[in-house]
Amino acid sequence: MTDMSLRLPTTRFRAVFALGARHAAGLPLPTTLGKPNLFGEWDDETEQTTLYVGFGTGQVHLETTPSGVEHHFHDAGGDDAVASPWNDADTELLVAWSTALISDVQALMPDLVDDVDDAAAWHDAGFDLWVCEIEEPAQLDLIEVDIEGELLTLPWLGAGHVEHDHVEESSHGALDDSVEDDREHPIALLWSASEATTPDRPIAEAWLLPGTETPVTRAVDGVDWDAVGLPADEVLSWLEGIYLNHHVLPDPAGTILTGVLERLGGIDGND
């Protein structure tokens, strides 16, 4: 089990963005649902934005398209829902607010992603304030977020070279089919004997127990651990720490982006 006491401290980070008009901030949200959890993504290939607006009672997912914005609902368990999990009045307010928010975000892309990455790089370098570049006077928005510290992990100390990859996005097929229905966000740890060779041999697996942030790890059968240079238990302990840092604990860029989304939506407490 990874020692969670080996985490770096949480830090307060401030970032200044030029967000322009904030149309969603002027719209009401249903008071009965509470504050939403927000997550956004940008697809470089399609040049489209995806926005997830979640509550304990359900979620609405939105995506920009060439013709506008599309949305669909999920129930409290995260499964697709044919209809909204909320009453008509709350649904109308929420969809209008979410549509305005994703439209504002789309208008800022892809520059917003670059700015968020730059701000995260400043945080990683040990600074506590990042300010965007502007070419002319503009209204600026101050984002303040608490960024959780990562686990202190060692570099790979075994032989050869390793990488970790989402199983769904690869053709490695490493995961044991017997646990397929009981895993979320599975990854494979890939290994190669030479640092000059791209890792392609699955040696271990990690995933989350459904509905939790508890990682599970498993060694792949038939691995020559002498060649790997570390015993299986040490590899699994190392993989658990890597999994927590990359797939469970919030990363600086994601935390900053959430702060931006909350500011654009007028729910960051500063309006």
Side-chain angles (χ1 to χ4, degrees), residues 195-221:
E195 293 188 7
T197 304
T198 300
D200 60 0
R201 168 69 193 276
I203 63 172
E205 309 157 353
W207 62 92
L208 290 178
L209 291 175
T212 74
E213 295 186 347
T214 303
V216 177
T217 58
R218 190 187 79 89
V220 174
D221 294 336

PDB file of all heavy atoms in Angstrom, residues 195-221:
ATOM      1  N   GLU A 195      16.599   0.861 -23.284  1.00  0.00           N
ATOM      2  CA  GLU A 195      16.069   2.209 -23.196  1.00  0.00           C
ATOM      3  C   GLU A 195      15.880   2.831 -24.571  1.00  0.00           C
ATOM      4  O   GLU A 195      15.166   3.822 -24.720  1.00  0.00           O
ATOM      5  CB  GLU A 195      16.996   3.081 -22.349  1.00  0.00           C
ATOM      6  CG  GLU A 195      17.044   2.675 -20.881  1.00  0.00           C
ATOM      7  CD  GLU A 195      17.819   3.656 -20.035  1.00  0.00           C
ATOM      8  OE1 GLU A 195      18.203   4.709 -20.581  1.00  0.00           O
ATOM      9  OE2 GLU A 195      18.026   3.382 -18.840  1.00  0.00           O
ATOM     10  N   ALA A 196      16.511   2.255 -25.577  1.00  0.00           N
ATOM     11  CA  ALA A 196      16.396   2.779 -26.931  1.00  0.00           C
ATOM     12  C   ALA A 196      15.188   2.210 -27.675  1.00  0.00           C
ATOM     13  O   ALA A 196      14.905   2.608 -28.797  1.00  0.00           O
ATOM     14  CB  ALA A 196      17.681   2.483 -27.718  1.00  0.00           C
ATOM     15  N   THR A 197      14.480   1.286 -27.041  1.00  0.00           N
ATOM     16  CA  THR A 197      13.349   0.611 -27.678  1.00  0.00           C
ATOM     17  C   THR A 197      12.041   1.053 -27.017  1.00  0.00           C
ATOM     18  O   THR A 197      11.962   1.171 -25.794  1.00  0.00           O
ATOM     19  CB  THR A 197      13.488  -0.923 -27.549  1.00  0.00           C
ATOM     20  OG1 THR A 197      14.742  -1.328 -28.100  1.00  0.00           O
ATOM     21  CG2 THR A 197      12.362  -1.625 -28.288  1.00  0.00           C
ATOM     22  N   THR A 198      11.029   1.284 -27.815  1.00  0.00           N
ATOM     23  CA  THR A 198       9.725   1.663 -27.267  1.00  0.00           C
ATOM     24  C   THR A 198       9.138   0.503 -26.477  1.00  0.00           C
ATOM     25  O   THR A 198       9.037  -0.614 -26.994  1.00  0.00           O
ATOM     26  CB  THR A 198       8.757   2.047 -28.395  1.00  0.00           C
ATOM     27  OG1 THR A 198       9.302   3.147 -29.129  1.00  0.00           O
ATOM     28  CG2 THR A 198       7.403   2.438 -27.829  1.00  0.00           C
ATOM     29  N   PRO A 199       8.753   0.722 -25.232  1.00  0.00           N
ATOM     30  CA  PRO A 199       8.174  -0.365 -24.428  1.00  0.00           C
ATOM     31  C   PRO A 199       6.913  -0.919 -25.069  1.00  0.00           C
ATOM     32  O   PRO A 199       6.025  -0.166 -25.480  1.00  0.00           O
ATOM     33  CB  PRO A 199       7.866   0.304 -23.091  1.00  0.00           C
ATOM     34  CG  PRO A 199       8.783   1.477 -23.026  1.00  0.00           C
ATOM     35  CD  PRO A 199       8.909   1.955 -24.438  1.00  0.00           C
ATOM     36  N   ASP A 200       6.830  -2.251 -25.170  1.00  0.00           N
ATOM     37  CA  ASP A 200       5.653  -2.876 -25.768  1.00  0.00           C
ATOM     38  C   ASP A 200       5.243  -4.158 -25.065  1.00  0.00           C
ATOM     39  O   ASP A 200       4.263  -4.782 -25.447  1.00  0.00           O
ATOM     40  CB  ASP A 200       5.889  -3.158 -27.256  1.00  0.00           C
ATOM     41  CG  ASP A 200       7.079  -4.091 -27.497  1.00  0.00           C
ATOM     42  OD1 ASP A 200       7.724  -4.518 -26.513  1.00  0.00           O
ATOM     43  OD2 ASP A 200       7.366  -4.380 -28.671  1.00  0.00           O
ATOM     44  N   ARG A 201       5.971  -4.559 -24.001  1.00  0.00           N
ATOM     45  CA  ARG A 201       5.659  -5.786 -23.284  1.00  0.00           C
ATOM     46  C   ARG A 201       4.902  -5.455 -21.996  1.00  0.00           C
ATOM     47  O   ARG A 201       5.461  -4.825 -21.090  1.00  0.00           O
ATOM     48  CB  ARG A 201       6.950  -6.546 -22.948  1.00  0.00           C
ATOM     49  CG  ARG A 201       6.773  -7.695 -21.943  1.00  0.00           C
ATOM     50  CD  ARG A 201       5.999  -8.849 -22.527  1.00  0.00           C
ATOM     51  NE  ARG A 201       5.565  -9.789 -21.514  1.00  0.00           N
ATOM     52  CZ  ARG A 201       6.318 -10.781 -21.024  1.00  0.00           C
ATOM     53  NH1 ARG A 201       7.548 -10.945 -21.479  1.00  0.00           N
ATOM     54  NH2 ARG A 201       5.848 -11.601 -20.112  1.00  0.00           N
ATOM     55  N   PRO A 202       3.610  -5.828 -21.883  1.00  0.00           N
ATOM     56  CA  PRO A 202       2.891  -5.586 -20.626  1.00  0.00           C
ATOM     57  C   PRO A 202       3.469  -6.434 -19.501  1.00  0.00           C
ATOM     58  O   PRO A 202       3.625  -7.649 -19.647  1.00  0.00           O
ATOM     59  CB  PRO A 202       1.459  -6.016 -20.946  1.00  0.00           C
ATOM     60  CG  PRO A 202       1.379  -6.085 -22.445  1.00  0.00           C
ATOM     61  CD  PRO A 202       2.751  -6.456 -22.898  1.00  0.00           C
ATOM     62  N   ILE A 203       3.818  -5.784 -18.387  1.00  0.00           N
ATOM     63  CA  ILE A 203       4.334  -6.531 -17.243  1.00  0.00           C
ATOM     64  C   ILE A 203       3.456  -6.368 -16.002  1.00  0.00           C
ATOM     65  O   ILE A 203       3.571  -7.155 -15.064  1.00  0.00           O
ATOM     66  CB  ILE A 203       5.796  -6.139 -16.911  1.00  0.00           C
ATOM     67  CG1 ILE A 203       5.882  -4.655 -16.507  1.00  0.00           C
ATOM     68  CG2 ILE A 203       6.714  -6.447 -18.089  1.00  0.00           C
ATOM     69  CD1 ILE A 203       7.269  -4.256 -15.979  1.00  0.00           C
ATOM     70  N   ALA A 204       2.600  -5.359 -15.973  1.00  0.00           N
ATOM     71  CA  ALA A 204       1.728  -5.141 -14.819  1.00  0.00           C
ATOM     72  C   ALA A 204       0.511  -4.329 -15.256  1.00  0.00           C
ATOM     73  O   ALA A 204       0.523  -3.707 -16.321  1.00  0.00           O
ATOM     74  CB  ALA A 204       2.469  -4.432 -13.691  1.00  0.00           C
ATOM     75  N   GLU A 205      -0.517  -4.347 -14.424  1.00  0.00           N
ATOM     76  CA  GLU A 205      -1.773  -3.672 -14.727  1.00  0.00           C
ATOM     77  C   GLU A 205      -2.237  -2.910 -13.497  1.00  0.00           C
ATOM     78  O   GLU A 205      -1.907  -3.271 -12.362  1.00  0.00           O
ATOM     79  CB  GLU A 205      -2.841  -4.704 -15.099  1.00  0.00           C
ATOM     80  CG  GLU A 205      -2.417  -5.685 -16.159  1.00  0.00           C
ATOM     81  CD  GLU A 205      -3.207  -6.989 -16.115  1.00  0.00           C
ATOM     82  OE1 GLU A 205      -4.006  -7.187 -15.163  1.00  0.00           O
ATOM     83  OE2 GLU A 205      -3.035  -7.786 -17.042  1.00  0.00           O
ATOM     84  N   ALA A 206      -3.006  -1.867 -13.722  1.00  0.00           N
ATOM     85  CA  ALA A 206      -3.609  -1.124 -12.620  1.00  0.00           C
ATOM     86  C   ALA A 206      -4.961  -0.602 -13.064  1.00  0.00           C
ATOM     87  O   ALA A 206      -5.162  -0.290 -14.242  1.00  0.00           O
ATOM     88  CB  ALA A 206      -2.706   0.027 -12.181  1.00  0.00           C
ATOM     89  N   TRP A 207      -5.893  -0.524 -12.127  1.00  0.00           N
ATOM     90  CA  TRP A 207      -7.217   0.020 -12.412  1.00  0.00           C
ATOM     91  C   TRP A 207      -7.837   0.463 -11.093  1.00  0.00           C
ATOM     92  O   TRP A 207      -7.259   0.256 -10.017  1.00  0.00           O
ATOM     93  CB  TRP A 207      -8.111  -1.010 -13.112  1.00  0.00           C
ATOM     94  CG  TRP A 207      -8.397  -2.257 -12.329  1.00  0.00           C
ATOM     95  CD1 TRP A 207      -9.451  -2.484 -11.494  1.00  0.00           C
ATOM     96  CD2 TRP A 207      -7.610  -3.468 -12.283  1.00  0.00           C
ATOM     97  NE1 TRP A 207      -9.383  -3.748 -10.953  1.00  0.00           N
ATOM     98  CE2 TRP A 207      -8.269  -4.376 -11.415  1.00  0.00           C
ATOM     99  CE3 TRP A 207      -6.426  -3.871 -12.901  1.00  0.00           C
ATOM    100  CZ2 TRP A 207      -7.764  -5.640 -11.147  1.00  0.00           C
ATOM    101  CZ3 TRP A 207      -5.921  -5.134 -12.639  1.00  0.00           C
ATOM    102  CH2 TRP A 207      -6.589  -6.007 -11.774  1.00  0.00           C
ATOM    103  N   LEU A 208      -8.998   1.097 -11.174  1.00  0.00           N
ATOM    104  CA  LEU A 208      -9.711   1.532  -9.985  1.00  0.00           C
ATOM    105  C   LEU A 208     -10.864   0.592  -9.679  1.00  0.00           C
ATOM    106  O   LEU A 208     -11.527   0.098 -10.594  1.00  0.00           O
ATOM    107  CB  LEU A 208     -10.285   2.942 -10.177  1.00  0.00           C
ATOM    108  CG  LEU A 208      -9.305   4.110 -10.224  1.00  0.00           C
ATOM    109  CD1 LEU A 208     -10.061   5.409 -10.469  1.00  0.00           C
ATOM    110  CD2 LEU A 208      -8.487   4.208  -8.952  1.00  0.00           C
ATOM    111  N   LEU A 209     -11.107   0.379  -8.390  1.00  0.00           N
ATOM    112  CA  LEU A 209     -12.333  -0.292  -7.999  1.00  0.00           C
ATOM    113  C   LEU A 209     -13.505   0.623  -8.366  1.00  0.00           C
ATOM    114  O   LEU A 209     -13.432   1.838  -8.158  1.00  0.00           O
ATOM    115  CB  LEU A 209     -12.337  -0.562  -6.494  1.00  0.00           C
ATOM    116  CG  LEU A 209     -11.342  -1.612  -5.981  1.00  0.00           C
ATOM    117  CD1 LEU A 209     -11.390  -1.673  -4.465  1.00  0.00           C
ATOM    118  CD2 LEU A 209     -11.636  -2.976  -6.583  1.00  0.00           C
ATOM    119  N   PRO A 210     -14.571   0.091  -8.949  1.00  0.00           N
ATOM    120  CA  PRO A 210     -15.696   0.922  -9.394  1.00  0.00           C
ATOM    121  C   PRO A 210     -16.221   1.831  -8.295  1.00  0.00           C
ATOM    122  O   PRO A 210     -16.431   1.409  -7.157  1.00  0.00           O
ATOM    123  CB  PRO A 210     -16.744  -0.113  -9.816  1.00  0.00           C
ATOM    124  CG  PRO A 210     -15.948  -1.309 -10.203  1.00  0.00           C
ATOM    125  CD  PRO A 210     -14.783  -1.340  -9.250  1.00  0.00           C
ATOM    126  N   GLY A 211     -16.383   3.115  -8.657  1.00  0.00           N
ATOM    127  CA  GLY A 211     -16.958   4.073  -7.727  1.00  0.00           C
ATOM    128  C   GLY A 211     -16.030   4.528  -6.623  1.00  0.00           C
ATOM    129  O   GLY A 211     -16.464   5.178  -5.678  1.00  0.00           O
ATOM    130  N   THR A 212     -14.735   4.194  -6.719  1.00  0.00           N
ATOM    131  CA  THR A 212     -13.780   4.582  -5.678  1.00  0.00           C
ATOM    132  C   THR A 212     -12.557   5.226  -6.316  1.00  0.00           C
ATOM    133  O   THR A 212     -12.438   5.301  -7.537  1.00  0.00           O
ATOM    134  CB  THR A 212     -13.305   3.356  -4.865  1.00  0.00           C
ATOM    135  OG1 THR A 212     -12.379   2.576  -5.654  1.00  0.00           O
ATOM    136  CG2 THR A 212     -14.476   2.484  -4.452  1.00  0.00           C
ATOM    137  N   GLU A 213     -11.663   5.700  -5.473  1.00  0.00           N
ATOM    138  CA  GLU A 213     -10.358   6.176  -5.919  1.00  0.00           C
ATOM    139  C   GLU A 213      -9.269   5.257  -5.378  1.00  0.00           C
ATOM    140  O   GLU A 213      -8.156   5.680  -5.083  1.00  0.00           O
ATOM    141  CB  GLU A 213     -10.142   7.620  -5.475  1.00  0.00           C
ATOM    142  CG  GLU A 213     -11.107   8.599  -6.135  1.00  0.00           C
ATOM    143  CD  GLU A 213     -10.805  10.048  -5.802  1.00  0.00           C
ATOM    144  OE1 GLU A 213     -10.006  10.283  -4.875  1.00  0.00           O
ATOM    145  OE2 GLU A 213     -11.361  10.929  -6.472  1.00  0.00           O
ATOM    146  N   THR A 214      -9.607   3.972  -5.264  1.00  0.00           N
ATOM    147  CA  THR A 214      -8.678   2.973  -4.747  1.00  0.00           C
ATOM    148  C   THR A 214      -8.085   2.165  -5.888  1.00  0.00           C
ATOM    149  O   THR A 214      -8.811   1.422  -6.565  1.00  0.00           O
ATOM    150  CB  THR A 214      -9.391   2.020  -3.776  1.00  0.00           C
ATOM    151  OG1 THR A 214      -9.977   2.774  -2.718  1.00  0.00           O
ATOM    152  CG2 THR A 214      -8.413   1.003  -3.200  1.00  0.00           C
ATOM    153  N   PRO A 215      -6.788   2.293  -6.158  1.00  0.00           N
ATOM    154  CA  PRO A 215      -6.193   1.540  -7.263  1.00  0.00           C
ATOM    155  C   PRO A 215      -5.910   0.091  -6.886  1.00  0.00           C
ATOM    156  O   PRO A 215      -5.606  -0.232  -5.733  1.00  0.00           O
ATOM    157  CB  PRO A 215      -4.889   2.295  -7.550  1.00  0.00           C
ATOM    158  CG  PRO A 215      -4.541   2.952  -6.258  1.00  0.00           C
ATOM    159  CD  PRO A 215      -5.838   3.238  -5.553  1.00  0.00           C
ATOM    160  N   VAL A 216      -6.039  -0.768  -7.869  1.00  0.00           N
ATOM    161  CA  VAL A 216      -5.709  -2.185  -7.747  1.00  0.00           C
ATOM    162  C   VAL A 216      -4.613  -2.479  -8.762  1.00  0.00           C
ATOM    163  O   VAL A 216      -4.662  -2.003  -9.898  1.00  0.00           O
ATOM    164  CB  VAL A 216      -6.941  -3.070  -8.028  1.00  0.00           C
ATOM    165  CG1 VAL A 216      -6.561  -4.548  -7.977  1.00  0.00           C
ATOM    166  CG2 VAL A 216      -8.050  -2.775  -7.035  1.00  0.00           C
ATOM    167  N   THR A 217      -3.619  -3.261  -8.362  1.00  0.00           N
ATOM    168  CA  THR A 217      -2.533  -3.609  -9.278  1.00  0.00           C
ATOM    169  C   THR A 217      -2.395  -5.124  -9.366  1.00  0.00           C
ATOM    170  O   THR A 217      -2.753  -5.853  -8.428  1.00  0.00           O
ATOM    171  CB  THR A 217      -1.185  -3.014  -8.828  1.00  0.00           C
ATOM    172  OG1 THR A 217      -0.875  -3.488  -7.497  1.00  0.00           O
ATOM    173  CG2 THR A 217      -1.235  -1.496  -8.819  1.00  0.00           C
ATOM    174  N   ARG A 218      -1.877  -5.591 -10.507  1.00  0.00           N
ATOM    175  CA  ARG A 218      -1.684  -7.020 -10.710  1.00  0.00           C
ATOM    176  C   ARG A 218      -0.509  -7.230 -11.642  1.00  0.00           C
ATOM    177  O   ARG A 218      -0.338  -6.504 -12.624  1.00  0.00           O
ATOM    178  CB  ARG A 218      -2.938  -7.650 -11.330  1.00  0.00           C
ATOM    179  CG  ARG A 218      -2.926  -9.184 -11.360  1.00  0.00           C
ATOM    180  CD  ARG A 218      -4.121  -9.725 -12.128  1.00  0.00           C
ATOM    181  NE  ARG A 218      -3.902  -9.640 -13.556  1.00  0.00           N
ATOM    182  CZ  ARG A 218      -3.322 -10.609 -14.284  1.00  0.00           C
ATOM    183  NH1 ARG A 218      -2.916 -11.719 -13.705  1.00  0.00           N
ATOM    184  NH2 ARG A 218      -3.166 -10.461 -15.574  1.00  0.00           N
ATOM    185  N   ALA A 219       0.326  -8.205 -11.304  1.00  0.00           N
ATOM    186  CA  ALA A 219       1.446  -8.560 -12.176  1.00  0.00           C
ATOM    187  C   ALA A 219       0.958  -9.465 -13.298  1.00  0.00           C
ATOM    188  O   ALA A 219       0.107 -10.334 -13.085  1.00  0.00           O
ATOM    189  CB  ALA A 219       2.533  -9.263 -11.374  1.00  0.00           C
ATOM    190  N   VAL A 220       1.465  -9.243 -14.502  1.00  0.00           N
ATOM    191  CA  VAL A 220       1.127 -10.083 -15.642  1.00  0.00           C
ATOM    192  C   VAL A 220       1.871 -11.414 -15.531  1.00  0.00           C
ATOM    193  O   VAL A 220       3.044 -11.453 -15.158  1.00  0.00           O
ATOM    194  CB  VAL A 220       1.488  -9.365 -16.962  1.00  0.00           C
ATOM    195  CG1 VAL A 220       1.285 -10.278 -18.159  1.00  0.00           C
ATOM    196  CG2 VAL A 220       0.650  -8.096 -17.102  1.00  0.00           C
ATOM    197  N   ASP A 221       1.178 -12.489 -15.833  1.00  0.00           N
ATOM    198  CA  ASP A 221       1.794 -13.814 -15.759  1.00  0.00           C
ATOM    199  C   ASP A 221       2.920 -13.960 -16.790  1.00  0.00           C
ATOM    200  O   ASP A 221       2.863 -13.392 -17.880  1.00  0.00           O
ATOM    201  CB  ASP A 221       0.743 -14.903 -16.012  1.00  0.00           C
ATOM    202  CG  ASP A 221      -0.306 -14.960 -14.915  1.00  0.00           C
ATOM    203  OD1 ASP A 221      -0.003 -14.526 -13.791  1.00  0.00           O
ATOM    204  OD2 ASP A 221      -1.431 -15.422 -15.200  1.00  0.00           O
TER     205      ASP A 221
END
